[in-house]
Amino acid sequence: MGRLNFRLTKASFDQNLRFLKRHVCRYAGNVVVSLMMKRRNLIGYLFASPWMVGFLLLIAWPFAASIYWSFCQYDLINPPEWVGTENYRRLMQEFREGRGFAVALQNTAYYALLSVPLSIVVGMGLAVALSWRVRGQAFYRTAFYLPAVIPIVATSVLWMWLLDPQDGMVNYLLSWLGVPGQNWLTQSRSAFSVAGLENAAGWAAGKNQLLLFGSKDALVLMSVWAVGNAMIIFLAAMGDVPESLYEAATIDGAGRFRKFWHVTLPLLSPVILFNLVMGLIKSVQTFTSIYILSEGTGQPGESLLVFSLHLFLSAFSDLEMGYASAMAWVTFVILVVCTLLLFRSSKHWVFYSSQ
Amino acid sequence: MKQLSTIFVLVCLLAIGLFVALQRAHPRVSDRPENAGRSEVVFWHFWGGADRDVVDDVVQRFNASQEQFFVRSIAMPGNNLQAKLFLAIAGGDPPDLVNQDDPIVGDWGWRGIVQPLQDVCSPEELRALDEFLFPAAKQLGSFDETMYAVCNGLDVRALYYNLTALQKHGLQPPRSLEELTEIARIITPPGTLNPETFGYLPDARRLWAWGKVFGGDFFDFETSRVQLTDPAIVAAARWMAGFGNWYGADTINRFRQGDQSLPGKTFPLLPIQDQEVQGRYVMLMDGQWRVRDIDAFIDRRRQQGLAYPEFGVCALPAPAGGRVDAGWVNGNFFLIPKGAKNTPGAVAFMKYWIGLGDPEQAAITCAAGGWIPVSEEVVQTNVFQAFLDERPLFREFVRLAGSQNQTPIPVIPGAPMFKREVEKASATAMAKPDQSTEAILQEANTIIQRRLDKLGRRVGQ
């Protein structure tokens, strides 16, 4: 019954007819179902197409193209010319000679190493303070979040005024503490550097003025001012900490600090990891404020020449898109390695509530 | 099926909407009755503020004088004109004409980003341009004996001085570099910790000017060698670094930042308070545009019935063996990008602006903007002479514009990098006077030469 019968009898004919009817119907049904599925898929693809087209054109294609360009001499106007690993060798040479790429690496590392942890500490501190139920809590939360929504250009100009060595508010406040006015935006020497420490030692010995903070420190200060985003994430995470844990801690006789240290902090550790990774990526991508503060030059003394600015100047001022692409890829690899290290280390210090 | 049809209709509507919106954003010239029959010249420039009004005025005058072309000017103030231009060229829709003031002519010409004038001008026009322009204006626009840009305004630096303040100290304007150094030392003695006024303080970026004044050349065009270790350049850098030694980098940095924070970026030579005679500097190197600031300051004081100091301008004083009337000149120039569609219109507008064939029109523009003409013919017009009579300080700048010793940053491929590295080396020499100036310049020389050689090798030079 399950197949065609080729004998020339009426019974065979009837059998074959039944077989064909059943299988042809099934086939037709399959075709119809398949068509319906295809239509559904088509609708799905149609809805997803704006994103897919955008992704392919604006992310995937430039991503792939920049790998190729990093092995080329390319000035945006003329066709790329293959130069092999020359751009990467130049990066290595600059790294060895301590200029160009090495300076950018050093400046970016300084900024990231100071601004990211500082933003997390300040963001968490503010979140803790703003979680206390006090009168006007909503107002304070808004006020502290506000700097994060002010456009970066406006913030940068505002900070240029605040950090003015003669009439700026920051130096004025420092003078209350007996600290001499700092050359915030004109000094390449930064606080946490050999030259900075030498200046501090010279001041202690009465040889020179205490001029500790330079342009990179000013940048770190600016980044800390806009910790609103980190603060909001911490606030949300703190709201998820089960009240029962605090009650248990209270019964055990824990005070405010112990509750924070043994309950809040461990449960916030996944959020700290998140802020750490995102902050690291953001700090490497910082561009606008640096471009404004240094008027697009990375000055004074190349102290503001970070990755993003060095890349921009190489690509659009020197027209070395190949070199800039190579730098972008090296930066990407460095970021991936740092992120992986952070994730690897997380098993030692990040705790999830399910654990 | 109904769902599909709905989506299809929505997509079509969206596409039509976008098309209409784009059409409205870029109306065709032929849609405007007043421009009917004229071809459009798209002109990108960076001017803003009061200068933009001057540009709009030139464009209006040109359009009113034309039956063939119509200029549409697009202002792009800020630093993003370059990136937008490259993308426009790469996208196949560049403007017909661009104005620039960075040292990019050699670089862009060599890379084919801009068209050589010989491709868009007739031999007669090229000859006329050659005879018309000041030497400095020709140098600014030429690379490898080919003209790529037409200079439409020169920027010359000279030494401004506050004569009243000098006389108050019992001094006279300097006639030599030694006198300038001595005046600086008397007004602000070395070691002053928080000075309120500097007699003179060199800007690290101006090694380009002082190097020339000392008799040096930054680049040898015959051998294509960078010459930062030319004894005259080293001497100029040492002289500048000497100020770092006198006052200390920290003091200089602090003072410089104070200049930036003056209200409205006031010219720091001018006194701030009503009763003051001197500003933050008694002598200062700057460009011709500061004449307007000084005149506005004097007018204001006159209206308020207050006394005002007397100001003067002189060429940068040279040391023994140095060059007279020397300095660093730059300027604004027109470029016709690769792929420009209306090159005849662009050439017509360039000629109108600089005054080739009608110097009076250029004189009106230069007088309105306080710009230095690019030709002696424009300087000699009645309009411009009347302007010079009104603003006598301007005369010195115009005189210097015609000097053979006023030269730009070498017009070569890689010039933006060359400029940046020289200024960086100069800043380092001033910030670290304990380091050997020669060693700093030698290092910069090696880096620049290496990069230039690499550029040259790529084109098979």
Side-chain angles (χ1 to χ4, degrees):
Chain A
M1 286 300 282
R3 58 173 185 260
L4 289 172
N5 189 334
F6 293 101
R7 276 178 292 178
L8 296 171
T9 59
K10 189 174 183 305
S12 299
F13 178 79
D14 290 343
Q15 182 191 333
N16 286 341
L17 191 65
R18 278 196 302 274
F19 174 86
L20 283 171
K21 270 184 182 170
R22 191 168 61 241
H23 286 276
V24 166
C25 282
R26 189 192 288 168
Y27 177 74
N30 281 346
V31 168
V32 170
V33 168
S34 157
L35 278 174
M36 283 174 71
M37 286 300 288
K38 274 186 182 168
R39 209 189 80 177
R40 282 180 63 180
N41 286 347
L42 190 71
I43 293 169
Y45 284 128
L46 212 58
F47 273 113
S49 62
W51 184 86
M52 282 164 68
V53 170
F55 174 78
L56 289 172
L57 284 179
L58 303 175
I59 297 174
W61 164 244
F63 198 75
S66 71
I67 299 177
Y68 173 63
W69 291 342
S70 73
F71 293 100
C72 293
Q73 164 66 21
Y74 180 41
D75 63 9
L76 281 169
I77 304 298
N78 299 298
E81 180 195 335
W82 183 265
V83 291
T85 55
E86 190 182 306
N87 291 320
Y88 290 96
R89 278 187 280 126
R90 186 175 147 196
L91 287 175
M92 284 307 294
Q93 188 181 18
E94 287 183 353
F95 186 75
R96 280 196 302 272
E97 292 175 0
R99 57 183 185 82
F101 175 67
V103 174
L105 186 67
Q106 205 180 334
N107 289 336
T108 311
Y110 185 94
Y111 174 64
L113 286 174
L114 277 182
S115 71
V116 177
L118 215 57
S119 298
I120 287 173
V121 171
V122 174
M124 191 157 50
L126 279 174
V128 170
L130 294 174
S131 66
W132 295 336
R133 293 183 205 290
V134 290
R135 204 182 158 132
Q137 187 192 45
F139 168 78
Y140 291 125
R141 285 183 175 186
T142 311
F144 281 104
Y145 183 67
L146 216 53
V149 294
I150 295 175
I152 300 170
V153 176
T155 308
S156 307
V157 174
L158 178 76
W159 274 96
M160 282 169 83
W161 290 339
L162 290 174
L163 295 172
D164 185 278
Q166 291 183 330
D167 307 318
M169 175 82 83
V170 177
N171 275 0
Y172 179 66
L173 293 176
L174 285 176
S175 71
W176 283 3
L177 304 170
V179 179
Q182 303 293 302
N183 290 339
W184 290 101
L185 297 174
T186 53
Q187 181 179 295
S188 58
R189 185 180 62 231
S190 41
F192 300 96
S193 64
V194 177
L197 293 175
E198 279 174 2
N199 179 270
W203 168 73
K207 288 182 191 164
N208 53 264
Q209 275 188 301
L210 182 67
L211 292 170
L212 210 53
F213 301 111
S215 52
K216 281 199 285 280
D217 303 304
L219 208 61
V220 172
L221 197 63
M222 278 175 66
S223 73
V224 172
W225 191 62
V227 290
N229 287 326
M231 182 193 81
I232 286 285
I233 294 170
F234 279 122
L235 263 175
M238 284 167 74
D240 282 346
V241 178
E243 199 60 38
S244 57
L245 294 178
Y246 288 120
E247 285 166 6
T250 311
I251 291 165
D252 286 348
R256 245 185 191 176
F257 177 75
R258 277 184 170 270
K259 276 189 216 168
F260 172 76
W261 191 256
H262 292 291
V263 178
T264 313
L265 200 58
L267 289 176
L268 283 186
S269 57
V271 180
I272 295 175
L273 175 68
F274 172 79
N275 276 334
L276 213 54
V277 172
M278 297 311 286
L280 180 73
I281 295 168
K282 211 176 121 191
S283 67
V284 172
Q285 289 176 337
T286 304
F287 176 77
T288 314
S289 53
I290 296 170
Y291 189 83
I292 292 167
L293 289 185
S294 72
E295 295 180 346
T297 61
Q299 298 300 328
E302 289 197 321
S303 59
L304 292 181
L305 188 76
V306 292
F307 269 144
S308 53
L309 185 62
H310 188 40
L311 193 146
F312 177 81
L313 290 175
S314 302
F316 294 107
S317 177
D318 296 346
L319 294 172
E320 293 184 309
M321 189 54 90
Y323 170 75
S325 298
M327 190 157 52
W329 274 98
V330 171
T331 311
F332 175 71
V333 169
I334 291 172
L335 263 181
V336 167
V337 169
C338 289
T339 309
L340 282 177
L341 286 174
L342 277 174
F343 275 108
R344 276 278 174 90
S345 73
S346 70
K347 62 184 170 201
H348 300 295
W349 58 274
V350 174
F351 303 93
Y352 294 95
S353 49
S354 55
Q355 285 176 331
Chain B
M1 207 59 206
K2 198 180 169 187
Q3 262 182 325
L4 261 179
S5 313
T6 314
I7 291 165
F8 181 72
V9 169
L10 279 174
V11 168
C12 287
L13 280 174
L14 195 69
I16 293 165
L18 265 172
F19 182 72
V20 171
L22 287 172
Q23 287 300 300
R24 287 199 173 170
H26 302 285
R28 289 169 191 279
V29 173
S30 58
D31 292 345
R32 298 177 178 173
E34 71 272 22
N35 302 330
R38 291 198 279 175
S39 63
E40 185 182 70
V41 179
V42 178
F43 169 48
W44 286 11
H45 66 83
F46 52 73
W47 281 292
D51 286 337
R52 187 171 168 181
D53 296 339
V54 180
V55 175
D56 289 345
D57 179 57
V58 190
V59 171
Q60 271 178 18
R61 278 187 283 132
F62 174 79
N63 288 342
S65 73
Q66 275 287 321
E67 288 182 354
Q68 199 180 352
F69 304 112
F70 171 82
V71 170
R72 181 158 63 91
S73 67
I74 299 172
M76 291 190 187
N79 299 322
N80 293 323
L81 192 146
Q82 270 185 226
K84 285 175 186 165
L85 177 67
F86 300 147
L87 296 177
I89 294 173
D93 189 22
D96 299 303
L97 193 64
V98 176
N99 194 269
Q100 256 289 350
D101 67 347
D102 290 328
I104 43 76
V105 174
D107 204 69
W108 290 14
W110 172 73
R111 292 177 196 275
I113 294 170
V114 293
Q115 302 187 39
L117 288 186
Q118 64 201 30
D119 290 0
V120 292
C121 294
S122 67
E124 292 74 34
E125 283 173 324
L126 286 176
R127 211 168 18 254
L129 269 174
D130 190 56
E131 287 166 10
F132 182 74
L133 296 171
F134 277 137
K138 272 190 279 191
Q139 278 185 54
L140 269 165
S142 307
F143 160 64
D144 205 14
E145 294 179 4
T146 304
M147 209 165 172
Y148 288 95
V150 174
C151 184
N152 61 334
L154 288 166
D155 287 338
V156 175
R157 268 84 181 168
L159 192 71
Y160 284 93
Y161 55 83
N162 180 334
L163 185 62
T164 312
L166 281 175
Q167 287 170 344
K168 200 182 90 181
H169 288 95
L171 300 163
Q172 287 298 317
R175 282 160 302 177
S176 67
L177 189 88
E178 291 72 24
E179 283 186 15
L180 173 68
T181 316
E182 187 60 11
I183 293 170
R185 198 186 60 77
I186 290 170
I187 295 176
T188 317
T192 309
L193 268 183
N194 287 309
E196 289 183 355
T197 299
F198 269 100
Y200 178 73
L201 189 61
D203 182 333
R205 294 170 301 167
R206 301 295 175 246
L207 180 61
W208 290 107
W210 287 114
K212 289 298 292 187
V213 172
F214 272 67
D217 288 305
F218 290 85
F219 189 73
D220 184 346
F221 285 90
E222 295 293 314
T223 59
S224 294
R225 306 303 297 171
V226 181
Q227 301 190 137
L228 293 191
T229 49
D230 177 335
I233 307 266
V234 175
R238 267 201 203 121
W239 174 75
M240 290 169 73
F243 286 82
N245 214 8
W246 274 4
Y247 306 113
D250 289 334
T251 304
I252 293 176
N253 284 340
R254 175 184 296 260
F255 196 81
R256 286 258 185 249
Q257 194 175 334
D259 293 349
Q260 297 299 314
S261 59
L262 289 173
K265 290 206 171 180
T266 312
F267 186 29
L269 190 79
L270 303 173
I272 305 291
Q273 304 297 330
D274 284 349
Q275 305 306 323
E276 283 177 347
V277 171
Q278 64 190 30
R280 293 170 63 78
Y281 299 89
V282 174
M283 292 181 294
L284 195 61
M285 185 204 295
D286 216 321
Q288 76 281 350
W289 51 89
R290 292 301 192 180
V291 172
R292 200 159 46 180
D293 294 351
I294 290 177
D295 288 346
F297 166 80
I298 292 174
D299 285 348
R300 201 168 49 246
R301 284 228 170 162
R302 270 189 191 143
Q303 282 168 10
Q304 291 168 344
L306 297 168
Y308 54 89
E310 192 179 336
F311 296 97
V313 178
C314 64
L316 302 179
R323 290 195 182 101
V324 179
D325 293 340
W328 163 59
V329 66
N330 70 328
N332 302 303
F333 36 82
F334 290 122
L335 297 155
I336 299 181
K338 173 186 178 183
K341 292 169 191 76
N342 194 349
T343 54
V347 171
F349 183 59
M350 287 194 300
K351 283 162 60 181
Y352 181 86
W353 183 305
I354 64 168
L356 184 63
D358 189 357
E360 290 284 338
Q361 287 300 331
I364 293 169
T365 309
C366 290
W371 298 334
I372 297 179
V374 291
S375 169
E376 187 62 29
E377 282 185 41
V378 182
V379 173
Q380 292 308 327
T381 57
N382 292 333
V383 174
F384 202 74
Q385 285 299 317
F387 168 76
L388 291 179
D389 291 340
E390 266 178 47
R391 299 184 190 271
L393 289 182
F394 215 89
R395 279 196 187 277
E396 184 65 3
F397 289 99
V398 176
R399 187 184 72 77
L400 290 172
S403 164
Q404 294 280 355
N405 289 334
Q406 292 286 333
T407 52
I409 289 167
V411 185
I412 51 170
M417 174 274 301
F418 194 166
K419 176 177 183 282
R420 214 172 44 238
E421 291 295 335
V422 168
E423 289 171 4
K424 200 166 83 187
S426 174
T428 308
M430 277 192 79
K432 297 175 179 169
D434 51 322
Q435 285 188 15
S436 157
T437 303
E438 193 160 13
I440 293 168
L441 290 174
Q442 176 64 62
E443 192 189 343
N445 200 91
T446 309
I447 292 168
I448 298 166
Q449 190 67 59
R450 194 194 294 159
R451 302 260 311 262
L452 292 184
D453 287 346
K454 208 166 265 182
L455 278 175
R457 210 169 52 238
R458 288 206 177 109
V459 285
Q461 280 177 358

